[in-house]
Amino acid sequence: MKTFLDEDFLLQTKTARTLYHEYAKDMPIIDYHNHLPPDQILGDKIFGNITQVWLYGDHYKWRAMRTNGINEKFCTGDATDYEKFEKWAETVPYTLRNPLYHWTHLELQRYFGIHEVLNPATSQKIYDDCTAKIQTPEYSVRNLLGKMNVEVVCTTDDPLDSLEYHQAYHKDATAKVKMLPAFRPDKFILIENPNFATYVQKLGTIVNFEINTYEDLLKALRTRADFFASNGCQLCDHGLEQLYAADFTPEQANAAFQKAISGKTLSSEEALIFKSAILHALGVMYHELGWTQQFHLGALRNNNTRALRVLGPDTGWDSIGDYSQAIALSKFLGRLDEYNQLAKTIIYNLNPADNEIIATMIGNFNDGSIAGKVQFGSGWWFLDQKDGMEKQINALSNMGLLSRFIGMLTDSRSFLSFPRHEYFRRILCNILGNDIENGEIPNDIKWTGQIVQNICYNNAKEYFGF
């Protein structure tokens, strides 16, 4: 019987262990999509206790705690930090076979050297030990990134953002990790949002001209994109249910825009026309800028209206949606490709039923201009766990070239989430190691090890040009 979470965790064969320990383990990390707060990286924040860095804002843990019968007071409420930690420790034993069980103990081991299992009996000691360390300069935000060998982080930023923290950080000669912004303009696409007109007004104030037409909006977004590019931005990101690719004319898009900013309700057809038009225009812009565009597709968000009203979005009430993806995805990418305006593109899929759709779709638009121009992104959100990663890797292997995959990212708000890269690397090495030992691929450790290193780091470095 193997020991829980030992050095060969998830590595079932000798070859898998060789691939991980000799090739994958020490590769640097390029975390090209996350939600880390730039101000905390700039300020090299030191947290007051383990709860602050581990439980604040972590809707994964909150969902598990609620399911375990823990009152909201101990998730997002006014309980003390230790009381919240105590309730998480009470929940952890019940998370067996959930990835949270693995992540929790990987993080305790990698950051704090704690090999005990977290439960009510160990809660106080682990809290005290972790908090004593987290309060020291050695555990500041930048040092936490350094412990995980992080080379680049790309934050996710609103077009309205001043990027003041990125600018100040760029001037800091002591900064070792590169921090770059990423452009996320979804609030200017989702025209049905009741706050759409307010967002447009704020954008107009920032760009210093009135936005009265659809063309004005495009001009304003380009102004902000140029500003982002001048501050090192090389990526955009969109979190959408599905891509929008209805037929449209600029005149129709403008009519819908005029209606929205005047406070009138749009029909679903009008909204779809606008979203299709602006998403295409943004795609053209990304190509002109030389950026990589990212699309996170398939989330059904804010299912619990009562919780949304009380707690707001991103508090743990989202799930997998069953949207139709193939036709719109094909049409959207095809429109851009037809005039050679398709930027490097990463498609992340939340519904595992759509894995093969995405894996085959990317092959339609990989035109040989660069290796892996259109990517099937790693398993994310509900799928960034062992089964989800294996399914994504297998679909990509069967339908495309796993060897050109740009690998894992955290997509996290927590500075303790970087062992997710290790988790992914172990799973990758186990799959390839098993294939070698089963005689399914040649016993060429050097070449397979090179493929592993490329997926873990080299492919992303070359793809993004960091």
Side-chain angles (χ1 to χ4, degrees), residues 229-244:
S230 71
N231 283 281
C233 181
Q234 295 172 242
L235 299 94
C236 70
D237 178 66
H238 297 275
L240 304 171
E241 295 172 346
Q242 57 195 143
L243 286 176
Y244 309 114

Side-chain angles (χ1 to χ4, degrees), residues 80-343:
T80 67
D81 284 350
Y82 178 69
E83 288 173 332
K84 291 179 178 180
F85 183 88
E86 192 175 36
K87 289 299 182 181
W88 172 238
E90 179 183 316
T91 299
V92 167
Y94 293 93
T95 65
L96 282 177
R97 303 204 79 242
N98 185 291
L100 284 166
Y101 198 85
H102 287 160
W103 295 347
T104 293
H105 293 102
L106 273 175
E107 290 163 13
L108 288 174
Q109 282 194 20
R110 298 299 175 263
Y111 290 102
F112 303 101
I114 292 173
H115 290 260
E116 297 167 276
V117 171
L118 180 60
N119 57 42
T122 61
S123 174
Q124 183 71 63
K125 183 178 185 301
I126 289 176
Y127 180 88
D128 291 342
D129 289 350
C130 289
T131 294
K133 290 179 178 178
I134 208 73
Q135 292 175 343
T136 66
E138 183 184 352
Y139 281 77
S140 69
V141 158
R142 296 191 198 180
N143 285 323
L144 289 173
L145 295 173
K147 285 178 187 293
M148 293 295 107
N149 199 16
V150 179
E151 190 173 278
V152 181
V153 293
C154 294
T155 58
T156 303
D157 307 283
D158 192 302
L160 303 177
D161 197 296
S162 68
L163 301 185
E164 60 187 291
Y165 303 120
H166 294 83
Q167 292 171 338
Y169 184 81
H170 182 70
K171 297 174 183 176
D172 186 347
T174 67
K176 296 179 181 178
V177 177
K178 181 174 287 191
M179 177 175 70
L180 301 173
F183 189 73
R184 189 165 191 168
D186 289 354
K187 61 175 55 174
F188 299 102
I189 297 172
L190 302 176
I191 194 169
E192 310 101 309
N193 189 311
N195 295 316
F196 179 80
T198 301
Y199 294 145
V200 170
Q201 186 177 31
K202 289 180 179 178
L203 179 61
T205 300
I206 289 173
V207 298
N208 203 29
F209 61 81
E210 288 189 9
I211 302 175
N212 296 315
T213 67
Y214 170 66
E215 288 300 322
D216 290 340
L217 177 60
L218 295 183
K219 179 183 175 183
L221 288 172
R222 179 57 190 255
T223 299
R224 296 307 293 165
D226 287 339
F227 171 71
F228 269 59
S230 71
N231 283 281
C233 181
Q234 295 172 242
L235 299 94
C236 70
D237 178 66
H238 297 275
L240 304 171
E241 295 172 346
Q242 57 195 143
L243 286 176
Y244 309 114
D247 293 332
F248 63 85
T249 65
E251 292 77 16
Q252 289 174 313
N254 185 55
F257 177 77
Q258 297 288 339
K259 195 170 179 180
I261 61 173
S262 64
K264 297 177 182 177
T265 302
L266 274 68
S267 69
S268 58
E269 182 181 3
E270 289 170 323
L272 180 58
I273 286 172
F274 174 84
K275 292 187 290 188
S276 300
I278 194 168
L279 195 59
H280 175 77
L282 288 169
V284 172
M285 181 182 79
Y286 300 146
H287 180 265
E288 291 174 353
L289 290 166
W291 285 4
T292 298
Q293 56 183 356
Q294 302 177 90
F295 297 99
H296 287 78
L297 304 179
L300 182 61
R301 301 174 188 270
N302 303 318
N303 295 271
N304 189 317
T305 54
R306 176 173 59 86
L308 176 64
R309 183 176 66 253
V310 175
L311 301 174
D314 302 319
T315 52
W317 312 94
D318 311 305
S319 61
I320 293 171
D322 57 352
Y323 307 100
S324 176
Q325 300 290 357
I327 294 174
L329 182 55
S330 174
K331 195 171 179 180
F332 173 78
L333 295 175
R335 265 188 189 141
L336 293 168
D337 183 77
E338 184 175 359
Y339 298 100
N340 196 27
Q341 295 173 315
L342 179 60

Side-chain angles (χ1 to χ4, degrees), residues 15 19 432-445 448:
T15 306
L19 289 173
L432 292 171
N434 286 347
D435 284 351
I436 288 175
E437 297 214 2
N438 289 334
E440 296 181 42
I441 59 177
N443 185 17
D444 186 344
I445 297 296
T448 308

